[in-house]
Coordinates of all heavy atoms in Angstrom, one line a residue:
I830 N 0.6 2.2 -0.9 CA 1.4 3.4 -1.0 C 0.6 4.5 -0.2 O -0.6 4.8 -0.5 CB 1.5 3.8 -2.5 CG1 2.2 2.7 -3.3 CG2 2.3 5.1 -2.6 CD1 2.2 2.8 -4.7
D831 N 1.4 5.1 0.7 CA 0.7 6.2 1.5 C 0.6 7.5 0.7 O 1.2 7.7 -0.4 CB 1.4 6.4 2.8 CG 2.9 6.8 2.7 OD1 3.4 6.7 1.6 OD2 3.4 7.4 3.6
K832 N -0.1 8.4 1.2 CA -0.4 9.7 0.6 C 0.9 10.5 0.4 O 1.1 11.2 -0.6 CB -1.5 10.5 1.3 CG -1.9 11.7 0.6 CD -3.1 12.3 1.3 CE -3.5 13.5 0.5 NZ -4.8 14.0 0.9
H833 N 1.7 10.5 1.4 CA 3.0 11.3 1.3 C 3.9 10.8 0.1 O 4.4 11.6 -0.6 CB 3.8 11.1 2.6 CG 5.1 11.8 2.6 ND1 5.2 13.2 2.6 CD2 6.3 11.4 2.6 CE1 6.5 13.6 2.6 NE2 7.2 12.5 2.6
T834 N 3.9 9.5 -0.1 CA 4.7 8.9 -1.2 C 4.1 9.3 -2.5 O 4.9 9.7 -3.4 CB 4.8 7.4 -1.0 OG1 5.3 7.1 0.2 CG2 5.6 6.8 -2.1
K835 N 2.8 9.3 -2.6 CA 2.1 9.7 -3.8 C 2.4 11.1 -4.1 O 2.7 11.5 -5.3 CB 0.6 9.4 -3.7 CG 0.2 8.0 -3.7 CD -1.3 7.9 -3.6 CE -1.8 6.5 -3.3 NZ -3.2 6.4 -3.1
N836 N 2.3 12.0 -3.1 CA 2.6 13.4 -3.3 C 4.0 13.7 -3.7 O 4.3 14.5 -4.6 CB 2.3 14.2 -2.0 CG 0.8 14.3 -1.7 OD1 0.0 14.1 -2.6 ND2 0.5 14.5 -0.5
L837 N 5.0 12.9 -3.1 CA 6.4 13.1 -3.6 C 6.6 12.8 -5.0 O 7.2 13.5 -5.8 CB 7.3 12.2 -2.7 CG 7.7 12.8 -1.3 CD1 8.4 11.7 -0.6 CD2 8.5 14.0 -1.5
A838 N 6.0 11.6 -5.4 CA 6.1 11.2 -6.9 C 5.4 12.2 -7.8 O 5.9 12.6 -8.8 CB 5.5 9.8 -7.0
T839 N 4.3 12.8 -7.3 CA 3.6 13.8 -8.1 C 4.4 15.1 -8.2 O 4.6 15.6 -9.3 CB 2.2 14.1 -7.5 OG1 1.5 12.9 -7.4 CG2 1.5 15.1 -8.3
F840 N 5.0 15.5 -7.1 CA 5.8 16.7 -7.2 C 7.1 16.5 -8.0 O 7.6 17.5 -8.5 CB 6.2 17.2 -5.8 CG 5.0 17.8 -5.1 CD1 4.7 17.5 -3.8 CD2 4.2 18.7 -5.7 CE1 3.6 18.0 -3.1 CE2 3.1 19.3 -5.1 CZ 2.8 18.9 -3.8
I841 N 7.6 15.3 -8.1 CA 8.8 15.1 -8.9 C 8.4 15.4 -10.4 O 9.2 16.1 -11.1 CB 9.3 13.6 -8.8 CG1 10.0 13.5 -7.4 CG2 10.3 13.3 -9.9 CD1 10.4 12.1 -7.1
H842 N 7.3 14.9 -10.8 CA 6.9 15.2 -12.2 C 6.5 16.7 -12.4 O 6.9 17.3 -13.4 CB 5.6 14.4 -12.6 CG 5.9 12.9 -12.7 ND1 6.7 12.4 -13.7 CD2 5.6 11.9 -11.9 CE1 6.8 11.1 -13.5 NE2 6.1 10.7 -12.5
L843 N 5.8 17.3 -11.4 CA 5.4 18.7 -11.6 C 6.6 19.6 -11.4 O 6.6 20.8 -11.9 CB 4.4 19.0 -10.5 CG 3.0 18.3 -10.7 CD1 2.0 18.7 -9.6 CD2 2.4 18.7 -12.1
S844 N 7.7 19.2 -10.8 CA 8.9 20.1 -10.6 C 9.5 20.3 -12.0 O 10.3 21.3 -12.1 CB 9.8 19.4 -9.6 OG 10.4 18.3 -10.2
T845 N 9.2 19.6 -13.0 CA 9.8 19.8 -14.3 C 9.3 21.2 -14.9 O 9.9 21.7 -15.7 CB 9.5 18.7 -15.3 OG1 8.1 18.6 -15.4 CG2 10.1 17.4 -14.8
F846 N 8.1 21.6 -14.4 CA 7.6 22.9 -14.8 C 8.4 24.1 -14.2 O 8.2 25.2 -14.6 CB 6.1 23.1 -14.4 CG 5.2 22.2 -15.2 CD1 4.3 21.4 -14.6 CD2 5.3 22.2 -16.6 CE1 3.4 20.6 -15.3 CE2 4.4 21.4 -17.4 CZ 3.5 20.6 -16.7
S847 N 9.3 23.8 -13.3 CA 10.1 24.9 -12.8 C 11.1 25.5 -13.8 O 11.6 26.6 -13.6 CB 10.9 24.4 -11.5 OG 11.8 23.5 -11.9
R848 N 11.2 24.9 -15.0 CA 12.0 25.4 -16.0 C 11.5 26.8 -16.5 O 12.3 27.5 -17.2 CB 12.2 24.5 -17.2 CG 10.9 24.3 -18.0 CD 11.1 23.5 -19.1 NE 9.8 23.0 -19.6 CZ 9.6 22.0 -20.4 NH1 10.6 21.4 -20.9 NH2 8.4 21.7 -20.7
F849 N 10.3 27.0 -16.3 CA 9.7 28.3 -16.7 C 10.1 29.5 -15.8 O 9.9 30.6 -16.2 CB 8.2 28.2 -16.8 CG 7.7 27.2 -17.8 CD1 7.0 26.1 -17.4 CD2 8.0 27.4 -19.2 CE1 6.5 25.2 -18.3 CE2 7.6 26.4 -20.1 CZ 6.8 25.3 -19.7

Side-chain angles (χ1 to χ4, degrees):
I830 301 169
D831 63 342
K832 187 172 182 165
H833 178 69
T834 304
K835 291 178 189 177
N836 287 340
L837 279 173
T839 302
F840 286 134
I841 286 173
H842 292 289
L843 292 177
S844 68
T845 60
F846 289 129
S847 65
R848 71 174 159 197
F849 298 117

